Amino acid sequence: MAPKKRPEAQKPLEVVLRPRSKRARDSGESEPQAKKLSVKGCGPGRRHDSTGPWAELPSLQVPQLQPSSSLVRALHQHRLGRAAWPSMQQSLQQSFLHSLASYRIFQKAAPFDRRATSLAWHPTHPSTLAVGSKGGDILLWNFAVKDKPTFIKGIGAGGSITGLKFNLLNTNQFFASSMEGTTRLQDFTGNTLRVFTSSDTCNVWFCSLDVSAKSRMVVTGDNVGHVVLLNMDGKELWNLRMHKKKVTHVALNPCCDWLLATASVDQTVKIWDLRQVRGNASFLCSLPHKHPVNSASFSPDGAQLLTTDQKSEIRVYSASQWDCPLGLIPHPHRHFQHLTPIKAAWHPRYNLIVVGRYPDPNFKSCGPYELRTIDVFDGGSGKLMCQLYDPESSGISSLNEFNPMGDTLASAMGYHILIWSQEDEARK
């Protein structure tokens, strides 16, 4: 199809910087408890306020930070071959978990007139991300500079951006799937460079997207169960109905990009070998779930698969045994029509899972004042390690992803985009 020009928006953006007050910067005076962000563990000797919503915040044990000398010693032992890498990695992970106690929201933006529906970090610029909205708007935001963010205006109702991926071969471009009925390649000036898929009816749209730069492949799924594989020249390799209902997520394995995971509201996740796909029954494994599934994503090392259903369960599968989950993590994140579906995500460097909480009164461990936190779980044990919460931004964070360096977190909370980082780094 011929490239077309998409209009560039003129809408002013609300980008709010949140420096600490002079009072809070005074090292001799701590902030009031109600104004602090909660990322805390509660040891046996810690006092609790027995009244108010803070009393119901779960007691969390955050691993103790090893002294810097211990970390240096561990690095030295590993270099000498006396310490295994898993042990070294665990020490670094515990140190990172301890640092989460100082994470704060230091920037916030509300550029859209409809809720945010997708986000993607720039692969090489750790302070730049792209965010799509339900109205089809797309924001490119480098929050480290004061320049006005790039904003591409969408079509409004019916244009929801369902998937975003930067083009690793040219990071001034991005791939997007949408309810507009297309999967396309665009640049940030608003030009559509290539249309990979386009439906001929308003009853079919595209819900998910992934891209392999190494194999030069694009894969996308639609709302009636079809998955389409194309090369980057736009040639369709196959189009198969792999699920009975909407395909909510597609993911290529980052280490073996011939391995594909698809998730659907038909309550299944399926694993496919792209080299052996001959029809809709040629999957390697089908993973049944109790409820429709929002997402299925491979870990950064490709060895594990993380799934999020539409009710109250997160699962972790291992490549060594796809048909049996390593762990089932109970977690409230139920589906709601006017809420961007909640999706758990991996940390890019550690075996950690981050996911937004939507308190459910029917969930067995739900308290009367449970907070809408961002939860961080250990991917191995399934243990809740810590929670992020800001009383001034207390909505439901549907999408939460760390940047490629793993030190900054972006959250999509309704109309807002929140940037979390360590307090000292945020101040800089």
Side-chain angles (χ1 to χ4, degrees):
M1 295 181 63
K4 59 182 179 180
K5 177 79 174 179
R6 297 180 64 85
E8 202 172 330
Q10 303 298 320
K11 180 184 175 184
L13 304 179
E14 176 194 344
V15 181
V16 182
L17 297 180
R18 302 187 56 196
R20 299 182 69 206
S21 66
K22 181 178 180 181
R23 176 187 178 109
R25 288 194 299 266
D26 185 357
S27 60
E29 184 175 2
S30 60
E31 294 178 89
Q33 176 68 22
K35 292 293 184 181
K36 284 191 176 183
L37 310 185
S38 174
V39 202
K40 300 189 175 181
C42 297
R46 181 173 176 174
R47 295 182 180 179
H48 293 266
D49 183 357
S50 60
T51 62
W54 295 94
E56 298 300 325
L57 187 63
S59 296
L60 306 175
Q61 295 295 331
V62 178
Q64 294 296 315
L65 176 65
Q66 294 187 13
S68 58
S69 59
S70 298
L71 290 175
V72 172
R73 187 181 303 111
L75 284 168
H76 180 64
Q77 293 296 321
H78 175 66
R79 186 173 182 180
L80 295 176
R82 298 173 185 171
W85 174 246
S87 175
M88 184 67 227
Q89 185 76 355
Q90 187 65 25
S91 297
L92 294 172
Q93 178 171 304
Q94 289 183 359
S95 177
F96 171 75
L97 284 168
H98 188 87
S99 75
L100 284 176
S102 65
Y103 269 56
R104 303 288 186 267
I105 295 175
F106 75 99
Q107 289 213 39
K108 181 189 295 187
F112 305 129
D113 57 4
R114 290 174 172 84
R115 56 184 163 88
T117 54
S118 58
L119 64 84
W121 282 98
H122 193 285
T124 57
H125 293 183
S127 61
T128 301
L129 71 160
V131 187
S133 83
K134 188 171 176 59
D137 304 330
I138 296 175
L139 174 77
L140 178 68
W141 183 25
N142 182 353
F143 52 81
V145 299
K146 295 182 179 180
D147 296 342
K148 182 180 178 180
T150 300
F151 189 92
I152 301 174
K153 183 67 175 176
I155 65 170
S160 181
I161 303 298
T162 57
L164 271 179
K165 295 286 181 181
F166 278 91
N167 182 3
L168 296 182
L169 303 177
N170 182 346
T171 54
N172 293 317
Q173 303 171 357
F174 63 92
F175 298 87
S177 59
S178 75
M179 288 186 66
E180 188 179 352
T182 62
T183 301
R184 58 186 183 266
L185 176 66
Q186 288 184 245
D187 61 26
F188 285 101
T189 62
N191 294 316
T192 297
L193 306 175
R194 177 170 288 120
V195 175
F196 291 92
T197 58
S198 180
S199 64
D200 298 326
T201 170
C202 61
N203 296 322
V204 177
W205 60 87
F206 295 92
C207 313
S208 48
L209 165 75
D210 204 2
V211 179
S212 168
K214 178 181 177 182
S215 297
R216 302 179 66 86
M217 294 186 303
V218 178
V219 61
T220 185
D222 68 20
N223 65 312
V224 292
H226 289 89
V227 177
V228 186
L229 181 70
L230 310 101
N231 63 26
M232 283 196 180
D233 294 327
K235 180 182 178 182
E236 182 179 297
L237 303 179
W238 46 253
N239 182 344
L240 297 170
R241 193 176 186 207
M242 292 180 159
H243 288 273
K244 297 178 181 178
K245 297 180 181 180
K246 182 201 302 187
V247 180
T248 55
H249 201 94
V250 294
L252 294 164
N253 190 295
C255 298
C256 305
D257 56 7
W258 44 264
L259 197 63
L260 170 70
T262 58
S264 172
V265 297
D266 67 6
Q267 302 184 21
T268 65
V269 172
K270 294 181 180 180
I271 309 295
W272 308 81
D273 184 340
L274 296 180
R275 303 167 301 179
Q276 299 178 8
V277 172
R278 299 292 182 269
N280 57 12
S282 58
F283 50 83
L284 294 178
C285 195
S286 180
L287 315 176
H289 287 62
K290 298 177 183 177
H291 301 281
V293 185
N294 282 337
S295 65
S297 55
F298 289 102
S299 58
D301 63 2
Q304 297 183 95
L305 182 73
L306 173 67
T307 69
T308 314
D309 72 2
Q310 291 187 358
K311 184 67 174 177
S312 58
E313 192 174 73
I314 299 168
R315 297 187 181 187
V316 178
Y317 293 85
S318 171
S320 61
Q321 193 175 7
W322 288 125
D323 58 350
C324 182
L326 285 177
L328 304 177
I329 303 174
H331 183 266
H333 50 257
R334 65 191 188 278
H335 181 74
F336 178 58
Q337 180 182 0
H338 302 295
L339 176 72
T340 297
I342 296 174
K343 299 180 180 182
W346 292 101
H347 189 279
R349 293 177 180 265
Y350 303 117
N351 190 20
L352 297 172
I353 297 165
V354 59
V355 61
R357 176 177 291 260
Y358 182 10
D360 184 353
N362 297 317
F363 192 66
K364 61 181 180 180
S365 64
C366 182
Y369 300 105
E370 188 167 74
L371 302 174
R372 296 169 173 179
T373 56
I374 298 171
D375 301 339
V376 179
F377 290 91
D378 185 292
S381 66
K383 181 181 178 181
L384 179 61
M385 305 305 293
C386 60
Q387 295 178 299
L388 297 171
Y389 179 74
D390 183 347
E392 296 179 4
S393 300
S394 57
I396 299 167
S397 296
S398 296
L399 305 174
N400 302 277
E401 291 192 21
F402 282 93
N403 68 351
M405 291 183 65
D407 61 355
T408 304
L409 176 68
S411 300
M413 185 191 71
Y415 296 75
H416 295 88
I417 307 161
L418 313 177
I419 305 297
W420 301 76
S421 189
Q422 280 188 275
E423 192 170 20
D424 292 341
E425 292 300 316
R427 201 181 311 159
K428 291 177 184 178

